[in-house]
Amino acid sequence: MAEKNKKDTEEQVCQSNDLIEAIYEEGLTATKHKIIRYAVAKINKSPDHFPNISFTVLEFINAAGLSGNGYHGKIKKIVGELTQIRIKPREHKGWFPWFKEIIYKNGMVHITFNDLIKPYLICLSEQEKYTKYVFATIGHMQSPYTIRLFELLQQYATIGYRKIKLEKLKELLGVKGKYNEYGHFKSRILQSVKKELDNINVLTFTFEEIKFVRKVDEINFEIKINDDLNMEGNVKEDEIKKFFEKWEYREVKQEDLADKTVEITLRISVKDT
């Protein structure tokens, strides 16, 4: 029972799959990503409070499992920049900002979400097109690319694999137009993210390079979830299983499964570093 109570109090990030697939403006640090996801977790926990939430810097630091000094100053600086952060969801025409207003005052962060973000965060169980994880999962991630690739792979974790065109992957990770040499992208992004996720040992992956005319055109990720983690029943999981059984486990097109919800609750013990 104690374990259940602990689980119920964990901050959970729940986002529409269209939001997982959104294109972010470049230049977001890991801390900026974490503040955005923590704000999402707060709304998920109290949807009636939309679009307004507040939390202390200390609360955020504890939830993320962070340690060290200077976070008040860092977050005070960051909140002034986050009002300008824009995204472009897959099913939305044009760009729009995450937040209408975000203010730091006396150790508190006060946020007002943009009303346009509401369909991507609220009443998602009715849409059955969302991905869910515990906020603490990304707490120790140092790279913004680790956070983004974790979300993109976690979305397909129950399926166990995901193929992404190389240029699309760069766009989703915020490095479109960079790393023209694939070897640089592989070493500085893919292998770096893999190493960090292997160390965290929540979601891990291997990848295969698929070439077209001698150039890497697509990345095929094989996804693995740590067996020690608690995994709840996934929405639509039975339907996915039936789909595989029907086709005798032959390779299927990802677009056939793209709208299946992958809902995985991950629990990890967060230790100060």
Side-chain angles (χ1 to χ4, degrees):
M1 182 65 69
E3 182 64 30
K4 182 178 186 300
N5 291 337
K6 178 182 177 182
K7 178 178 155 187
D8 290 342
T9 60
E10 289 177 314
E11 305 289 354
Q12 298 186 351
V13 182
C14 188
Q15 304 173 85
S16 162
N17 285 344
D18 288 334
L19 197 55
I20 295 287
E21 301 278 344
I23 300 169
Y24 285 68
E25 288 188 311
E26 298 179 10
L28 265 71
T29 64
T31 302
K32 288 179 180 179
H33 274 293
K34 291 174 188 178
I35 291 175
I36 292 172
R37 302 313 188 280
Y38 191 65
V40 169
K42 297 290 284 186
I43 282 294
N44 293 159
K45 199 168 185 178
S46 302
D48 292 341
H49 291 171
F50 188 91
N52 303 304
I53 62 158
S54 297
F55 55 86
T56 67
V57 173
L58 181 60
E59 177 187 343
F60 167 74
I61 292 172
N62 290 337
L66 301 173
S67 62
N69 300 318
Y71 277 101
H72 279 268
K74 291 178 183 178
I75 292 176
K76 182 178 181 180
K77 181 179 183 297
I78 286 172
V79 296
E81 302 168 350
L82 281 177
T83 53
Q84 304 303 317
I85 298 302
R86 301 183 304 163
I87 56 172
K88 185 179 180 182
R90 184 175 56 183
E91 300 298 328
H92 192 281
K93 295 181 180 179
W95 295 77
F96 63 83
W98 267 93
F99 305 122
K100 184 183 296 183
E101 185 177 56
I102 177 168
I103 298 171
Y104 171 91
K105 186 177 181 181
N106 298 327
M108 292 283 297
V109 178
H110 305 280
I111 289 175
T112 301
F113 279 92
N114 185 337
D115 289 335
L116 290 174
I117 205 77
K118 186 174 183 178
Y120 302 97
L121 300 178
I122 306 297
C123 299
L124 298 181
S125 60
E126 299 173 5
Q127 300 178 32
E128 298 183 345
K129 298 179 182 180
Y130 63 90
T131 301
K132 183 177 180 180
Y133 61 87
V134 171
F135 173 76
T137 306
I138 66 172
H140 285 299
M141 294 181 186
Q142 300 299 308
S143 168
Y145 310 125
T146 304
I147 294 173
R148 283 296 287 137
L149 189 53
F150 162 75
E151 290 184 332
L152 291 165
L153 298 183
Q154 189 264 351
Q155 182 186 0
Y156 281 73
T158 295
I159 299 171
Y161 75 93
R162 178 169 193 176
K163 289 182 181 179
I164 309 179
K165 289 286 188 180
L166 177 59
E167 291 306 311
K168 181 63 176 178
L169 179 59
K170 288 182 179 180
E171 186 176 40
L172 292 172
L173 295 179
V175 293
K176 184 179 180 180
K178 299 180 180 179
Y179 301 108
N180 292 327
E181 293 289 335
Y182 171 73
H184 294 163
F185 176 76
K186 179 179 179 178
S187 62
R188 297 174 188 177
I189 303 292
L190 290 181
Q191 291 180 333
S192 179
V193 168
K194 176 173 169 49
K195 181 178 179 180
E196 187 168 17
L197 286 179
D198 284 347
N199 288 336
I200 295 171
N201 199 29
V202 170
L203 177 151
T204 58
F205 69 88
T206 56
F207 64 93
E208 175 189 6
E209 298 150 347
I210 301 174
K211 294 184 178 182
F212 180 74
V213 193
R214 297 185 178 181
K215 289 187 177 182
V216 176
D217 178 65
E218 196 171 22
I219 305 295
N220 185 22
F221 294 95
E222 185 173 344
I223 308 161
K224 181 181 178 182
I225 294 293
N226 189 317
D227 292 337
D228 294 332
L229 298 171
N230 176 55
M231 297 180 64
E232 294 183 344
N234 301 325
V235 178
K236 294 285 187 178
E237 183 177 6
D238 290 341
E239 188 171 339
I240 293 175
K241 288 180 179 178
K242 289 178 181 178
F243 188 94
F244 277 108
E245 291 171 357
K246 177 180 178 181
W247 292 95
E248 297 179 348
Y249 295 91
R250 72 182 67 173
E251 183 175 359
V252 296
K253 294 181 179 180
Q254 286 192 34
E255 53 265 32
D256 293 333
L257 297 170
D259 287 340
K260 307 304 180 187
T261 297
V262 180
E263 178 186 354
I264 299 176
T265 300
L266 305 176
R267 296 188 294 109
I268 59 176
S269 59
V270 181
K271 299 180 180 178
D272 289 342
T273 58

